[in-house]
């Protein structure tokens, strides 16, 4: 699902302040209440960028790699639709406040190459991505300067593990698109070399960490 930018009103998520930079906290307390079919047509839906507070510079690969638990190249196998957390209060420009549910899109992914951490590359794994189709199917929510991954495309993913062993991909630069058709293209790409270098020079963040159930 590739989301193209449109002229939109910005929505600030009041309660959804990301104290752990990339939203890893949400895995533990998220209570999905609804599923939306993955094949909903989003081409004509307005896009509402979510705003979050980040404790790192999300535009610095060294900081991103140091914060998350896993960095890997993956191919998106399947979009399994959207789940929704408990309701939060949002503020829309010139529209007052309203109650809404934060969306998470569920993906199945094939791990091609591990940059940080050792995730299983023998079978596709599941992860959650912050953002997705709203519960009323009238809009798409993504973080500013972020996009939802598309099926059959390659990305460099940066994710954090929850206490339940799941993986959350969250925030700007958490899935870097790769213009690649095979592993050789990936390994020779500028983005891959940049993130390999970022791993060697990561700015480590001291925080409580968990381990994914999808590790080797």
């Amino acid at each position: 699902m590739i989301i193209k930018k449109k002229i939109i009103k910005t929505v600030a998520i009041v309660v959804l302040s990301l104290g752990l930079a990339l939203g890893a906290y949400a895995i533990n307390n998220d209570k999905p209440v609804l599923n939306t079919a993955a094949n909903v047509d989003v081409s004509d839906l307005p896009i509402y960028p979510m705003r979050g507070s980040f404790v790192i510079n999300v535009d610095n690969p060294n900081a991103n790699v140091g914060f998350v638990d896993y960095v890997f190249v993956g191919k998106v196998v399947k979009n399994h639709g959207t789940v929704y957390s408990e309701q939060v209060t949002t503020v829309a420009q010139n529209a007052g406040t309203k109650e809404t549910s934060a969306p998470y899109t569920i993906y199945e992914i094939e791990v091609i190459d591990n940059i940080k951490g050792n995730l299983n590359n023998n079978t596709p794994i599941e992860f959650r991505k912050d953002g997705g189709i709203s519960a009323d199917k009238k809009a798409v929510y993504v973080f500013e300067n972020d996009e939802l991954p598309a099926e059959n495309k390659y990305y460099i993913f940066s994710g954090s593990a929850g206490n339940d062993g799941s993986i959350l991909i969250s925030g700007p630069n958490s899935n870097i698109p790769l213009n690649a058709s095979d592993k050789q293209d990936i390994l020779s790409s500028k983005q891959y070399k940049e993130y390999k270098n970022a791993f060697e020079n990561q700015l480590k963040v001291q925080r409580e960490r968990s381990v994914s159930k999808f590790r080797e």
Side-chain angles (χ1 to χ4, degrees):
M1 181 190 300
I2 299 177
I3 303 301
K4 296 182 179 179
K5 293 295 182 182
K6 303 177 183 178
I7 298 175
I8 48 178
K9 297 177 181 178
T10 297
V11 174
I13 302 295
V14 175
V15 179
L16 195 62
S17 178
L18 305 187
L20 285 181
L22 300 182
Y25 77 94
I27 301 176
N28 301 326
N29 298 319
D30 182 34
K31 296 179 180 179
V33 296
L34 182 66
N35 275 297
T36 293
N39 60 356
V40 173
D41 183 9
V42 300
S43 59
D44 294 324
L45 295 180
I47 302 166
Y48 293 91
M50 303 184 296
R51 288 179 175 173
S53 298
F54 303 101
V55 300
I56 63 170
N57 179 1
V58 294
D59 294 319
N60 183 340
N62 296 17
N64 271 338
V65 174
F67 178 83
V68 298
D69 301 313
Y70 300 95
V71 181
F72 57 97
V73 176
K75 179 181 180 180
V76 178
V77 176
K78 184 70 176 178
N79 176 343
H80 287 290
T82 309
V83 296
Y84 303 90
S85 69
E86 294 177 324
Q87 285 193 332
V88 296
T89 301
T90 64
V91 180
Q93 182 179 343
N94 300 323
T97 63
K98 68 175 183 177
E99 295 297 314
T100 189
S101 297
Y104 297 87
T105 304
I106 308 299
Y107 290 95
E108 186 178 342
I109 183 173
E110 177 187 356
V111 177
I112 305 299
D113 186 84
N114 285 294
I115 296 175
K116 178 179 181 179
N118 293 297
L119 294 175
N120 193 334
N121 59 7
N122 295 319
T123 184
I125 65 175
E126 180 183 283
F127 71 89
R128 291 187 181 189
K129 170 70 178 181
D130 256 321
I133 302 167
S134 61
D136 60 10
K137 304 180 184 179
K138 294 182 179 180
V140 176
Y141 289 86
V142 293
F143 276 104
E144 291 180 306
N145 301 315
D146 192 16
E147 67 178 51
L148 297 178
E151 290 182 359
N152 299 314
K153 299 294 184 181
Y154 294 94
Y155 298 85
I156 296 177
F157 292 100
S158 302
S160 294
N163 291 340
D164 61 355
S166 58
I167 299 177
L168 181 68
I169 308 293
S170 178
N173 299 315
S174 58
N175 44 260
I176 306 293
L178 295 173
N179 184 17
S181 58
D182 55 34
K183 189 169 183 178
Q184 186 58 44
D185 286 347
I186 292 167
L187 298 181
S188 61
S189 69
K190 176 182 176 181
Q191 298 95 326
Y192 178 82
K193 293 176 181 178
E194 180 180 39
Y195 270 79
K196 287 289 286 187
N197 181 68
F199 172 68
E200 297 297 331
N201 298 280
Q202 60 184 296
L203 301 175
K204 295 183 179 180
V205 176
Q206 296 299 318
R207 64 174 181 83
E208 183 179 348
R209 294 179 182 270
S210 298
V211 177
S212 173
K213 62 186 176 183
F214 301 114
R215 70 187 186 280
E216 290 183 341

